[in-house]
Amino acid sequence: IGLKRRFHFHEFMIEVHRRIHEWKLERIRTKGRDLHIDLSSEADAIVQVARMVAAESTLLAFDEFVVTDCADALMMKKFFDELFSQGTVVVATSNTRPDDLYLQGLNRHYFLPFIDTLKHFCKPHDMDTEFDYRLEKAKGLKCLAKQRYIFPLGKQTEEKMEEIFSEVTDYELVEPKTIKVAFGRTLKVERVTGRAAMFDFQEVSGKCIFQFSCH
């Protein structure tokens, strides 16, 4: 399969929202603002972006398919209807059964038709395994042994984290880096290599970088 892409589902939806926003801005730039409501598919940003995505990829593979955001939930039926109508194949992994997606979410009744669409075009398969590949990878780290967490905070914990980070990175040279994230924001990474990164908690979780994060 030549045209294929793999995403973490959350990252995919961020990209979709960004492209919808850009499509709307471009339409205003080239055609001006609509003076009446246009319900045609040609004027529907969700449909148009879905067609673009379908033209770019005949196969989309998603990791951690989960829906928690109301804005995502309300647009997914229309977006994926168009994807599937264009012949796009979707493969996904999830820790949530289709019927439990967006469970107890705001206005979930608007989301439920998407579940029917998903089950119509995709065949759920329960892997039914207790094997955790993440823990298997951790078993290979000598510094962890059988530990699953390190507590309490203090000098010994800091030293242990340094030991773990060194082993994970194979003692490679690390350096600080500023990376671009969604919507023009940047994130400072204290130390990063090609395989791992170490963040400062304050940088990641202690700042109000979104209008709702301070409430």
Side-chain angles (χ1 to χ4, degrees), residues 3-186:
L3 300 176
K4 59 182 182 292
R5 294 184 70 186
R6 178 184 175 187
F7 293 90
H8 186 287
F9 187 68
H10 177 67
E11 293 176 344
F12 174 75
M13 292 308 298
I14 289 177
E15 178 178 312
V16 168
H17 283 293
R18 175 183 59 78
R19 294 181 70 167
I20 288 173
H21 178 66
E22 291 174 351
W23 188 91
K24 290 179 178 178
L25 290 179
E26 180 63 16
R27 181 177 172 85
I28 291 174
R29 187 186 71 82
T30 56
K31 297 187 176 182
R33 294 188 178 275
D34 292 328
L35 299 179
H36 62 281
I37 298 175
D38 188 346
L39 298 179
S40 68
S41 60
E42 286 71 24
D44 193 314
I46 295 175
V47 171
Q48 293 302 315
V49 171
R51 290 176 181 175
M52 294 178 194
V53 173
E56 296 164 357
S57 307
T58 54
L59 171 64
L60 292 174
F62 298 123
D63 187 25
E64 296 190 30
F65 193 100
V66 63
V67 184
T68 57
D69 183 77
C70 182
D72 290 347
L74 295 179
M75 64 171 280
M76 286 179 67
K77 176 70 167 65
K78 179 185 289 188
F79 185 84
F80 278 87
D81 272 351
E82 189 61 34
L83 277 185
F84 290 131
S85 72
Q86 297 292 327
T88 304
V89 176
V90 173
V91 179
T93 63
S94 179
N95 292 322
T96 307
R97 297 177 184 274
D99 287 329
D100 293 336
L101 286 170
Y102 198 52
L103 195 63
Q104 298 181 343
L106 182 65
N107 292 323
R108 188 173 185 257
H109 55 284
Y110 291 116
F111 176 78
L112 294 178
F114 167 72
I115 295 178
D116 294 332
T117 297
L118 187 65
K119 292 195 294 185
H120 176 76
F121 286 98
C122 298
K123 182 179 180 181
H125 179 72
D126 190 348
M127 301 300 290
D128 192 23
T129 179
E130 296 181 358
F131 190 86
D132 192 322
Y133 290 91
R134 294 166 297 182
L135 293 180
E136 188 65 19
K137 183 177 291 186
K139 289 179 183 177
L141 298 175
K142 297 178 182 179
C143 57
L144 273 180
K146 294 183 178 181
Q147 287 181 282
R148 293 292 174 263
Y149 59 90
I150 305 171
F151 182 81
L153 298 178
K155 184 177 180 181
Q156 288 185 331
T157 298
E158 291 180 4
E159 292 175 350
K160 190 66 176 179
M161 287 299 299
E162 290 293 337
E163 182 183 358
I164 294 170
F165 187 71
S166 295
E167 187 172 347
V168 168
T169 59
D170 286 333
Y171 302 92
E172 295 177 1
L173 177 67
V174 297
E175 57 185 2
K177 188 175 183 179
T178 299
I179 59 175
K180 294 181 179 180
V181 293
F183 304 107
R185 299 172 184 149
T186 59

Side-chain angles (χ1 to χ4, degrees), residues 175-200:
E175 57 185 2
K177 188 175 183 179
T178 299
I179 59 175
K180 294 181 179 180
V181 293
F183 304 107
R185 299 172 184 149
T186 59
L187 182 65
K188 293 181 180 179
V189 188
E190 282 192 348
R191 289 181 289 172
V192 62
T193 71
R195 302 183 56 186
M198 183 175 287
F199 296 86
D200 179 84

